[in-house]
Amino acid sequence: MHSMKKEFTQAHTDVSRRNFIKTSALTGLGLAVAPGLSFGKGSKDDKVQIAFIGVGGRGRSHLNNILKRDDIIVTAICDIDQTAIDKTLNMIKKAGFKKPESFSGSKTAYLDLLAREDIDGVIIATPWVWHTKMAVDSMKAGKYAGVEVSAANTMAECWDLVNTYEETGVPTMILENVCYRRDVMAVLNMVRQDVFGELIHGRCGYRHDLRGVKFNPGVTFGKDANSEARWRTQHSLGRNADLYPTHGIGPIANMMNINRGNRFLSLTAHATKARGLKDYIVNHAAGGPEHPNANINWKLGDVVTSTINTANGETIIVTHDTNLPRPYSLNFEVQGVKGITDFDYDHRRIYVEGTSKAHSWENMNKGEEGSPSWLEKYDHPLWKKYGDYAEGSGHGGMDFFVDNAFVESVKRKVNPPLDAYDAAAWSAISPLSERSIAEGNAPQYFPDFTRGKWMWAKPNFALDDDY
Ligand SMILES: NC(=O)c1ccc[n+]([C@@H]2O[C@H](COP(=O)([O-])OP(=O)(O)OC[C@H]3O[C@@H](n4cnc5c(N)ncnc54)[C@H](O)[C@@H]3O)[C@@H](O)[C@H]2O)c1
C-alpha cells in the first residue's frame, strides 16, 4: 500500500505544474485562482490541510480515501456525535497520522473549527439541511468547501452558494461521485468524441429502495433511529419533490455541457401517490397496522418524475424513486442524432447507426472476438491512469476520483471541476420540482445562476488524465 501511495503522489508531482497552467486557462466559469485562500498557512511541508465536518458513514468513507494520500494532513474534525468522533480518531491514528483537534458539543461547533488557520479545505458530510450553511461559512472563512450531495434544499440556498463564491472568491465543490463512475466517464468520452452526434435527450434518476435506510432499526425514524434514519426520513414526511437529483443529473449535465455553453431552462414535475413507506411499516415484523408509524401520511410521492428543457433544445427526464421494492438503478440514457446508449450496473447497451446491426442493441461490456468492447475503447484517460489505484476506494472506485479532484483543486488553488454553479443548478431540481408538483405540474424556470457566463464558459470537467 505504501509504495502505491508514493507512486500515486509522484505521478501528481510530475504533472501538477504543467496542468496548473492548463487548468487555469480552461476554467471558464470561475476565478481561475482563488485569491481569498489561506492555503499553506501553518502547514510545515506544504501538505494540503483538510478538515471534516460530519464524520458519519459518508464522512468516514471520504476520510478513508484521504488517509491513503501522503500530500494531506487532517488538522480538525467536527461532529455532534461522540461515537463518530471516536471512530474517526481511531482511523486517523491507525493510518499513522497526527491526532487532529476535535470539535463537538453543539450544532454550531463547526464554526470554531472554521476559525482555525491551519485548514485549506473542508469536507462537509452532514445531513442535507446543513450543507449550504456549512459550505457558505467555510467559503467566508477562506476555506475551500467540498460539500456532499445535494448541496442545497431551497432556491435561496442555491443562490447563497453562488453569491458567496462570487463575493469571497473561495470555491465550493459539489462532491458528486457518480460523475466519476467508470461507465459514466466512458459515455462522457463517447459524447465528446461524437459517437452519438448532437445530443437530443437524456434520462437519469435515483431509483434506490431506501426503506431500510429510512427506517433503522425496524420501522423507527427520527431521534431514536440510526444514521440517515435520524434525519433523511423527515424529508419524505414534509416534501413532495425530487429530493436527491444529483447522482443522476450530474453525469448528464456534464455530457450536455450545462453551465458551459448550455443551461437548464425549465422543469415540470409529476408525483405518484405515496404508498410505499406506509406499506413497509404495516408489513414489517417490527411494525404492523397498529404501530403508531402506520398512521403517518407521507408527503413524498413514491415516484417523482421531472422533465427539464435545456437552452440547447435537449430534454432530460429525472426520476426519484426511493420508497418501493426494486433493484438499484440510476437509469441512464443518452440519445443523439446518431445513436443511443441505455446503461447502468446491470445492463449496458448501445446502438450507433451504421456501426450496430440495424435496430439491435450492442452490449457495451463485450466486444467482438479479439476487439475491445465499447467501454474499453472509450475508457476515460483518468480511469486508464488511476483505475488500479482507485479500486477499493468506495462505490466501485469513483470515490477516489471525487476526493482526488477536491484535494488537487485545493492544492493548485483552482476552481474545482464541479463548482458552485453546478451545485446550484443541479440542487435546484429539488425546490423547483416541489413547486411544480404543488402547483399542479406547472412549469418552473431555472434562474441563470451564472448570470450569463454559461454562454462563453468552456467545459472543464475531466478533460484529460490529470484529475
Ligand atoms: N455521494 C454518495 O455516494 C453519498 C453516500 C452516502 C451519503 N451521502 C450524503 O452524505 C451526507 C451524510 O450522509 P451519511 O450517510 O454520512 O449520514 P450520517 O447520518 O451517517 O452522518 C451524518 C453525520 O453528521 C453529523 N452531524 C449532524 N449535524 C451536525 C452538525 N450540526 N455539526 C456536525 N456534525 C453534524 C451526525 O452526527 C452524523 O455523524 C448526506 O448528505 C448524504 O446524502 C452521499
Side-chain angles (χ1 to χ4, degrees), residues 271-326:
T272 67
K273 57 192 167 187
R275 292 288 183 273
L277 299 183
K278 191 183 184 94
D279 193 67
Y280 183 77
I281 294 165
V282 167
N283 292 305
H284 197 287
E290 306 308 323
H291 192 282
N293 287 355
N295 296 323
I296 293 173
N297 282 324
W298 299 91
K299 199 158 184 192
L300 175 66
D302 290 337
V303 181
V304 174
T305 313
S306 307
T307 305
I308 298 174
N309 269 315
T310 69
N312 285 354
E314 300 100 356
T315 56
I316 308 164
I317 297 176
V318 192
T319 306
H320 181 265
D321 164 2
T322 59
N323 296 346
L324 300 169
R326 58 158 302 125

Short mmCIF file of all heavy atoms in Angstrom, two decimals, residues 271-326:
data_model
loop_
_atom_site.label_atom_id
_atom_site.label_comp_id
_atom_site.label_asym_id
_atom_site.label_seq_id
_atom_site.Cartn_x
_atom_site.Cartn_y
_atom_site.Cartn_z
N ALA A 271 -45.77 13.71 -9.52
CA ALA A 271 -45.56 12.74 -8.43
C ALA A 271 -46.71 11.74 -8.40
O ALA A 271 -47.86 12.11 -8.62
CB ALA A 271 -45.46 13.46 -7.10
N THR A 272 -46.38 10.49 -8.11
CA THR A 272 -47.43 9.49 -7.90
C THR A 272 -47.98 9.63 -6.47
O THR A 272 -47.46 10.41 -5.67
CB THR A 272 -46.88 8.06 -8.02
OG1 THR A 272 -45.98 7.84 -6.92
CG2 THR A 272 -46.15 7.85 -9.34
N LYS A 273 -48.94 8.83 -6.16
CA LYS A 273 -49.41 8.73 -4.77
C LYS A 273 -48.30 8.15 -3.90
O LYS A 273 -47.33 7.57 -4.41
CB LYS A 273 -50.65 7.85 -4.72
CG LYS A 273 -50.45 6.46 -5.29
CD LYS A 273 -51.80 5.77 -5.46
CE LYS A 273 -51.68 4.52 -6.30
NZ LYS A 273 -52.99 3.96 -6.62
N ALA A 274 -48.45 8.32 -2.60
CA ALA A 274 -47.45 7.83 -1.64
C ALA A 274 -48.00 6.60 -0.94
O ALA A 274 -48.94 6.70 -0.14
CB ALA A 274 -47.15 8.93 -0.62
N ARG A 275 -47.46 5.43 -1.25
CA ARG A 275 -47.95 4.20 -0.63
C ARG A 275 -46.83 3.36 -0.02
O ARG A 275 -47.04 2.61 0.92
CB ARG A 275 -48.68 3.33 -1.68
CG ARG A 275 -49.98 3.92 -2.18
CD ARG A 275 -51.07 3.86 -1.13
NE ARG A 275 -52.33 4.37 -1.66
CZ ARG A 275 -52.70 5.65 -1.65
NH1 ARG A 275 -51.91 6.56 -1.10
NH2 ARG A 275 -53.85 6.03 -2.18
N GLY A 276 -45.62 3.45 -0.61
CA GLY A 276 -44.54 2.52 -0.29
C GLY A 276 -44.14 2.50 1.18
O GLY A 276 -43.96 1.44 1.77
N LEU A 277 -43.99 3.67 1.79
CA LEU A 277 -43.48 3.71 3.17
C LEU A 277 -44.52 3.17 4.14
O LEU A 277 -44.19 2.42 5.07
CB LEU A 277 -43.04 5.13 3.54
CG LEU A 277 -41.90 5.71 2.68
CD1 LEU A 277 -41.48 7.10 3.17
CD2 LEU A 277 -40.69 4.78 2.64
N LYS A 278 -45.76 3.54 3.92
CA LYS A 278 -46.83 3.02 4.80
C LYS A 278 -46.92 1.50 4.69
O LYS A 278 -46.99 0.79 5.70
CB LYS A 278 -48.16 3.67 4.38
CG LYS A 278 -49.28 3.42 5.37
CD LYS A 278 -50.57 4.04 4.84
CE LYS A 278 -51.67 3.89 5.86
NZ LYS A 278 -51.82 5.05 6.72
N ASP A 279 -46.87 1.02 3.47
CA ASP A 279 -46.94 -0.41 3.22
C ASP A 279 -45.80 -1.15 3.93
O ASP A 279 -45.99 -2.22 4.51
CB ASP A 279 -46.86 -0.63 1.70
CG ASP A 279 -47.23 -2.03 1.30
OD1 ASP A 279 -48.41 -2.39 1.47
OD2 ASP A 279 -46.33 -2.78 0.85
N TYR A 280 -44.62 -0.55 3.89
CA TYR A 280 -43.44 -1.14 4.53
C TYR A 280 -43.66 -1.25 6.03
O TYR A 280 -43.39 -2.29 6.64
CB TYR A 280 -42.24 -0.24 4.23
CG TYR A 280 -40.91 -0.74 4.76
CD1 TYR A 280 -40.22 -1.77 4.11
CD2 TYR A 280 -40.32 -0.15 5.88
CE1 TYR A 280 -38.98 -2.20 4.59
CE2 TYR A 280 -39.09 -0.58 6.36
CZ TYR A 280 -38.42 -1.60 5.70
OH TYR A 280 -37.20 -2.03 6.17
N ILE A 281 -44.18 -0.18 6.64
CA ILE A 281 -44.39 -0.17 8.10
C ILE A 281 -45.45 -1.21 8.49
O ILE A 281 -45.26 -1.98 9.43
CB ILE A 281 -44.81 1.25 8.56
CG1 ILE A 281 -43.66 2.23 8.35
CG2 ILE A 281 -45.26 1.25 10.02
CD1 ILE A 281 -44.05 3.69 8.42
N VAL A 282 -46.53 -1.23 7.74
CA VAL A 282 -47.63 -2.15 8.06
C VAL A 282 -47.17 -3.61 7.96
O VAL A 282 -47.55 -4.44 8.78
CB VAL A 282 -48.84 -1.87 7.12
CG1 VAL A 282 -49.87 -2.98 7.21
CG2 VAL A 282 -49.46 -0.52 7.46
N ASN A 283 -46.32 -3.89 6.98
CA ASN A 283 -45.92 -5.28 6.75
C ASN A 283 -44.62 -5.70 7.43
O ASN A 283 -44.20 -6.85 7.32
CB ASN A 283 -45.82 -5.55 5.24
CG ASN A 283 -47.20 -5.50 4.61
OD1 ASN A 283 -48.11 -6.20 5.04
ND2 ASN A 283 -47.38 -4.61 3.63
N HIS A 284 -43.98 -4.78 8.10
CA HIS A 284 -42.69 -5.09 8.75
C HIS A 284 -42.95 -5.82 10.08
O HIS A 284 -43.90 -5.48 10.81
CB HIS A 284 -41.93 -3.78 9.01
CG HIS A 284 -40.47 -3.99 9.28
ND1 HIS A 284 -39.99 -4.52 10.46
CD2 HIS A 284 -39.38 -3.76 8.51
CE1 HIS A 284 -38.67 -4.58 10.41
NE2 HIS A 284 -38.27 -4.13 9.24
N ALA A 285 -42.08 -6.79 10.40
CA ALA A 285 -42.25 -7.56 11.64
C ALA A 285 -42.24 -6.64 12.86
O ALA A 285 -42.94 -6.90 13.85
CB ALA A 285 -41.13 -8.59 11.74
N ALA A 286 -41.45 -5.55 12.79
CA ALA A 286 -41.38 -4.63 13.93
C ALA A 286 -42.49 -3.58 13.89
O ALA A 286 -42.60 -2.74 14.79
CB ALA A 286 -40.02 -3.93 13.94
N GLY A 287 -43.32 -3.60 12.83
CA GLY A 287 -44.38 -2.59 12.69
C GLY A 287 -45.76 -3.19 12.85
O GLY A 287 -46.09 -3.66 13.93
N GLY A 288 -46.54 -3.18 11.77
CA GLY A 288 -47.90 -3.72 11.82
C GLY A 288 -48.92 -2.60 11.75
O GLY A 288 -48.58 -1.43 11.98
N PRO A 289 -50.18 -2.97 11.45
CA PRO A 289 -51.22 -1.94 11.24
C PRO A 289 -51.48 -1.10 12.49
O PRO A 289 -51.95 0.03 12.38
CB PRO A 289 -52.46 -2.75 10.85
CG PRO A 289 -52.12 -4.18 11.03
CD PRO A 289 -50.65 -4.33 11.20
N GLU A 290 -51.16 -1.64 13.67
CA GLU A 290 -51.43 -0.88 14.90
C GLU A 290 -50.25 -0.01 15.33
O GLU A 290 -50.34 0.75 16.29
CB GLU A 290 -51.77 -1.84 16.07
CG GLU A 290 -52.89 -2.82 15.78
CD GLU A 290 -54.15 -2.12 15.27
OE1 GLU A 290 -54.45 -1.00 15.76
OE2 GLU A 290 -54.80 -2.66 14.36
N HIS A 291 -49.13 -0.17 14.66
CA HIS A 291 -47.95 0.61 15.04
C HIS A 291 -48.24 2.11 14.82
O HIS A 291 -48.85 2.47 13.80
CB HIS A 291 -46.74 0.17 14.20
CG HIS A 291 -45.44 0.70 14.71
ND1 HIS A 291 -45.03 1.99 14.48
CD2 HIS A 291 -44.47 0.12 15.45
CE1 HIS A 291 -43.84 2.18 15.06
NE2 HIS A 291 -43.49 1.05 15.66
N PRO A 292 -47.82 2.98 15.76
CA PRO A 292 -48.12 4.42 15.59
C PRO A 292 -47.62 4.99 14.25
O PRO A 292 -48.27 5.86 13.65
CB PRO A 292 -47.41 5.09 16.76
CG PRO A 292 -46.78 4.01 17.59
CD PRO A 292 -47.15 2.68 17.03
N ASN A 293 -46.50 4.47 13.75
CA ASN A 293 -45.97 5.00 12.48
C ASN A 293 -46.81 4.60 11.27
O ASN A 293 -46.66 5.15 10.18
CB ASN A 293 -44.52 4.53 12.26
CG ASN A 293 -43.55 5.26 13.19
OD1 ASN A 293 -43.97 6.16 13.92
ND2 ASN A 293 -42.29 4.85 13.18
N ALA A 294 -47.73 3.60 11.48
CA ALA A 294 -48.57 3.16 10.36
C ALA A 294 -49.62 4.21 9.99
O ALA A 294 -50.20 4.16 8.91
CB ALA A 294 -49.24 1.83 10.71
N ASN A 295 -49.83 5.16 10.89
CA ASN A 295 -50.86 6.19 10.61
C ASN A 295 -50.31 7.46 9.96
O ASN A 295 -51.05 8.40 9.71
CB ASN A 295 -51.54 6.62 11.93
CG ASN A 295 -52.27 5.46 12.53
OD1 ASN A 295 -52.86 4.65 11.80
ND2 ASN A 295 -52.24 5.33 13.85
N ILE A 296 -49.03 7.45 9.72
CA ILE A 296 -48.41 8.68 9.17
C ILE A 296 -48.81 8.86 7.71
O ILE A 296 -48.83 7.90 6.93
CB ILE A 296 -46.87 8.58 9.30
CG1 ILE A 296 -46.48 8.61 10.77
CG2 ILE A 296 -46.19 9.69 8.53
CD1 ILE A 296 -45.00 8.36 11.02
N ASN A 297 -49.09 10.11 7.36
CA ASN A 297 -49.33 10.42 5.95
C ASN A 297 -48.06 10.98 5.33
O ASN A 297 -47.67 12.11 5.63
CB ASN A 297 -50.46 11.46 5.81
CG ASN A 297 -51.80 10.81 6.00
OD1 ASN A 297 -52.00 9.66 5.58
ND2 ASN A 297 -52.70 11.51 6.67
N TRP A 298 -47.44 10.18 4.50
CA TRP A 298 -46.17 10.59 3.89
C TRP A 298 -46.46 11.52 2.73
O TRP A 298 -47.35 11.26 1.93
CB TRP A 298 -45.37 9.37 3.45
CG TRP A 298 -45.05 8.48 4.61
CD1 TRP A 298 -45.80 7.45 5.08
CD2 TRP A 298 -43.96 8.63 5.52
NE1 TRP A 298 -45.23 6.91 6.21
CE2 TRP A 298 -44.09 7.61 6.49
CE3 TRP A 298 -42.87 9.50 5.59
CZ2 TRP A 298 -43.18 7.46 7.53
CZ3 TRP A 298 -41.95 9.33 6.62
CH2 TRP A 298 -42.11 8.33 7.57
N LYS A 299 -45.69 12.55 2.63
CA LYS A 299 -45.95 13.54 1.57
C LYS A 299 -45.25 13.17 0.25
O LYS A 299 -45.75 13.47 -0.83
CB LYS A 299 -45.44 14.91 2.04
CG LYS A 299 -46.04 16.05 1.27
CD LYS A 299 -45.98 17.34 2.04
CE LYS A 299 -46.67 18.45 1.26
NZ LYS A 299 -46.40 19.76 1.82
N LEU A 300 -44.08 12.52 0.37
CA LEU A 300 -43.30 12.22 -0.84
C LEU A 300 -43.97 11.17 -1.71
O LEU A 300 -44.16 10.03 -1.28
CB LEU A 300 -41.91 11.71 -0.41
CG LEU A 300 -40.99 11.24 -1.55
CD1 LEU A 300 -40.60 12.40 -2.46
CD2 LEU A 300 -39.76 10.55 -1.00
N GLY A 301 -44.33 11.53 -2.93
CA GLY A 301 -44.86 10.55 -3.88
C GLY A 301 -43.82 9.48 -4.12
O GLY A 301 -42.62 9.75 -4.13
N ASP A 302 -44.27 8.23 -4.31
CA ASP A 302 -43.30 7.14 -4.43
C ASP A 302 -42.38 7.31 -5.65
O ASP A 302 -41.20 7.02 -5.57
CB ASP A 302 -44.03 5.79 -4.49
CG ASP A 302 -44.67 5.45 -3.15
OD1 ASP A 302 -44.20 5.98 -2.12
OD2 ASP A 302 -45.64 4.67 -3.12
N VAL A 303 -42.95 7.75 -6.76
CA VAL A 303 -42.12 8.01 -7.95
C VAL A 303 -42.37 9.45 -8.39
O VAL A 303 -43.51 9.83 -8.67
CB VAL A 303 -42.43 7.02 -9.10
CG1 VAL A 303 -41.54 7.31 -10.30
CG2 VAL A 303 -42.24 5.57 -8.63
N VAL A 304 -41.29 10.24 -8.40
CA VAL A 304 -41.37 11.64 -8.83
C VAL A 304 -40.58 11.77 -10.12
O VAL A 304 -39.42 11.36 -10.19
CB VAL A 304 -40.79 12.59 -7.75
CG1 VAL A 304 -40.73 14.02 -8.25
CG2 VAL A 304 -41.63 12.51 -6.47
N THR A 305 -41.23 12.33 -11.14
CA THR A 305 -40.59 12.43 -12.45
C THR A 305 -40.54 13.90 -12.88
O THR A 305 -41.58 14.56 -12.92
CB THR A 305 -41.40 11.64 -13.51
OG1 THR A 305 -41.71 10.36 -12.95
CG2 THR A 305 -40.63 11.45 -14.78
N SER A 306 -39.36 14.38 -13.18
CA SER A 306 -39.21 15.77 -13.63
C SER A 306 -38.69 15.76 -15.06
O SER A 306 -37.81 14.97 -15.41
CB SER A 306 -38.19 16.52 -12.77
OG SER A 306 -38.52 16.40 -11.40
N THR A 307 -39.22 16.66 -15.87
CA THR A 307 -38.71 16.82 -17.24
C THR A 307 -38.12 18.23 -17.37
O THR A 307 -38.80 19.22 -17.10
CB THR A 307 -39.82 16.62 -18.29
OG1 THR A 307 -40.41 15.33 -18.06
CG2 THR A 307 -39.27 16.66 -19.70
N ILE A 308 -36.87 18.25 -17.78
CA ILE A 308 -36.13 19.52 -17.88
C ILE A 308 -35.93 19.87 -19.35
O ILE A 308 -35.64 18.99 -20.17
CB ILE A 308 -34.74 19.37 -17.20
CG1 ILE A 308 -34.91 19.05 -15.72
CG2 ILE A 308 -33.89 20.62 -17.40
CD1 ILE A 308 -33.60 18.73 -15.00
N ASN A 309 -36.05 21.16 -19.68
CA ASN A 309 -35.68 21.67 -21.00
C ASN A 309 -34.35 22.40 -20.89
O ASN A 309 -34.15 23.15 -19.93
CB ASN A 309 -36.69 22.73 -21.46
CG ASN A 309 -37.81 22.13 -22.25
OD1 ASN A 309 -37.58 21.31 -23.13
ND2 ASN A 309 -39.02 22.55 -21.94
N THR A 310 -33.49 22.22 -21.87
CA THR A 310 -32.22 22.96 -21.84
C THR A 310 -32.21 24.05 -22.92
O THR A 310 -32.99 24.01 -23.88
CB THR A 310 -31.01 22.04 -22.10
OG1 THR A 310 -31.07 21.61 -23.46
CG2 THR A 310 -31.03 20.83 -21.17
N ALA A 311 -31.29 25.00 -22.76
CA ALA A 311 -31.17 26.10 -23.71
C ALA A 311 -30.83 25.58 -25.11
O ALA A 311 -31.22 26.18 -26.12
CB ALA A 311 -30.10 27.08 -23.24
N ASN A 312 -30.11 24.47 -25.19
CA ASN A 312 -29.73 23.94 -26.50
C ASN A 312 -30.77 23.00 -27.09
O ASN A 312 -30.50 22.34 -28.10
CB ASN A 312 -28.38 23.19 -26.40
CG ASN A 312 -27.23 24.17 -26.29
OD1 ASN A 312 -27.42 25.38 -26.41
ND2 ASN A 312 -26.03 23.66 -26.05
N GLY A 313 -31.93 22.90 -26.46
CA GLY A 313 -33.03 22.15 -27.07
C GLY A 313 -33.11 20.68 -26.71
O GLY A 313 -33.87 19.94 -27.33
N GLU A 314 -32.33 20.23 -25.71
CA GLU A 314 -32.49 18.85 -25.26
C GLU A 314 -33.57 18.79 -24.18
O GLU A 314 -33.90 19.81 -23.56
CB GLU A 314 -31.19 18.30 -24.63
CG GLU A 314 -29.99 18.28 -25.54
CD GLU A 314 -29.05 19.45 -25.31
OE1 GLU A 314 -29.39 20.33 -24.48
OE2 GLU A 314 -28.00 19.51 -25.98
N THR A 315 -34.09 17.59 -23.95
CA THR A 315 -34.89 17.36 -22.74
C THR A 315 -34.18 16.28 -21.90
O THR A 315 -33.44 15.45 -22.43
CB THR A 315 -36.32 16.88 -23.06
OG1 THR A 315 -36.24 15.69 -23.87
CG2 THR A 315 -37.13 17.94 -23.77
N ILE A 316 -34.43 16.34 -20.59
CA ILE A 316 -33.87 15.35 -19.67
C ILE A 316 -34.98 14.92 -18.72
O ILE A 316 -35.66 15.77 -18.13
CB ILE A 316 -32.72 15.95 -18.82
CG1 ILE A 316 -31.67 16.63 -19.70
CG2 ILE A 316 -32.07 14.86 -17.94
CD1 ILE A 316 -30.73 17.55 -18.91
N ILE A 317 -35.18 13.62 -18.59
CA ILE A 317 -36.15 13.10 -17.62
C ILE A 317 -35.39 12.58 -16.41
O ILE A 317 -34.48 11.76 -16.56
CB ILE A 317 -37.01 11.98 -18.24
CG1 ILE A 317 -37.83 12.54 -19.41
CG2 ILE A 317 -37.94 11.38 -17.18
CD1 ILE A 317 -38.65 11.50 -20.14
N VAL A 318 -35.74 13.09 -15.24
CA VAL A 318 -35.05 12.71 -14.00
C VAL A 318 -36.08 12.04 -13.08
O VAL A 318 -37.15 12.61 -12.83
CB VAL A 318 -34.49 13.96 -13.27
CG1 VAL A 318 -33.54 13.55 -12.15
CG2 VAL A 318 -33.80 14.91 -14.23
N THR A 319 -35.74 10.86 -12.58
CA THR A 319 -36.69 10.12 -11.73
C THR A 319 -36.16 10.00 -10.31
O THR A 319 -34.96 9.77 -10.11
CB THR A 319 -36.92 8.70 -12.30
OG1 THR A 319 -37.30 8.83 -13.66
CG2 THR A 319 -38.00 7.96 -11.53
N HIS A 320 -37.05 10.14 -9.33
CA HIS A 320 -36.71 9.90 -7.93
C HIS A 320 -37.66 8.82 -7.43
O HIS A 320 -38.87 8.98 -7.50
CB HIS A 320 -36.88 11.20 -7.12
CG HIS A 320 -36.52 11.05 -5.67
ND1 HIS A 320 -37.45 10.78 -4.70
CD2 HIS A 320 -35.33 11.14 -5.03
CE1 HIS A 320 -36.84 10.71 -3.52
NE2 HIS A 320 -35.56 10.93 -3.69
N ASP A 321 -37.11 7.73 -6.92
CA ASP A 321 -37.91 6.54 -6.66
C ASP A 321 -37.22 5.77 -5.53
O ASP A 321 -36.31 4.99 -5.76
CB ASP A 321 -37.93 5.77 -8.01
CG ASP A 321 -38.37 4.32 -7.93
OD1 ASP A 321 -38.71 3.85 -6.84
OD2 ASP A 321 -38.34 3.66 -8.99
N THR A 322 -37.62 6.07 -4.26
CA THR A 322 -36.88 5.52 -3.12
C THR A 322 -37.76 4.79 -2.10
O THR A 322 -37.28 4.42 -1.03
CB THR A 322 -36.14 6.66 -2.37
OG1 THR A 322 -37.11 7.62 -1.94
CG2 THR A 322 -35.11 7.34 -3.23
N ASN A 323 -39.06 4.61 -2.39
CA ASN A 323 -39.98 4.06 -1.38
C ASN A 323 -40.53 2.68 -1.71
O ASN A 323 -41.36 2.17 -0.95
CB ASN A 323 -41.20 4.99 -1.23
CG ASN A 323 -40.81 6.36 -0.69
OD1 ASN A 323 -39.70 6.55 -0.19
ND2 ASN A 323 -41.71 7.32 -0.81
N LEU A 324 -40.11 2.12 -2.84
CA LEU A 324 -40.72 0.86 -3.29
C LEU A 324 -39.65 -0.23 -3.42
O LEU A 324 -38.47 0.09 -3.61
CB LEU A 324 -41.39 1.08 -4.66
CG LEU A 324 -42.50 2.13 -4.69
CD1 LEU A 324 -42.89 2.46 -6.13
CD2 LEU A 324 -43.73 1.65 -3.91
N PRO A 325 -40.09 -1.51 -3.33
CA PRO A 325 -39.11 -2.58 -3.53
C PRO A 325 -38.62 -2.58 -4.98
O PRO A 325 -39.45 -2.58 -5.90
CB PRO A 325 -39.91 -3.86 -3.23
CG PRO A 325 -41.35 -3.47 -3.28
CD PRO A 325 -41.45 -2.00 -3.08
N ARG A 326 -37.33 -2.52 -5.16
CA ARG A 326 -36.78 -2.53 -6.52
C ARG A 326 -35.26 -2.63 -6.44
O ARG A 326 -34.65 -2.18 -5.48
CB ARG A 326 -37.15 -1.26 -7.29
CG ARG A 326 -36.69 0.05 -6.62
CD ARG A 326 -36.58 1.19 -7.63
NE ARG A 326 -35.67 0.83 -8.69
CZ ARG A 326 -35.99 0.86 -9.99
NH1 ARG A 326 -37.16 1.29 -10.38
NH2 ARG A 326 -35.11 0.49 -10.91
#
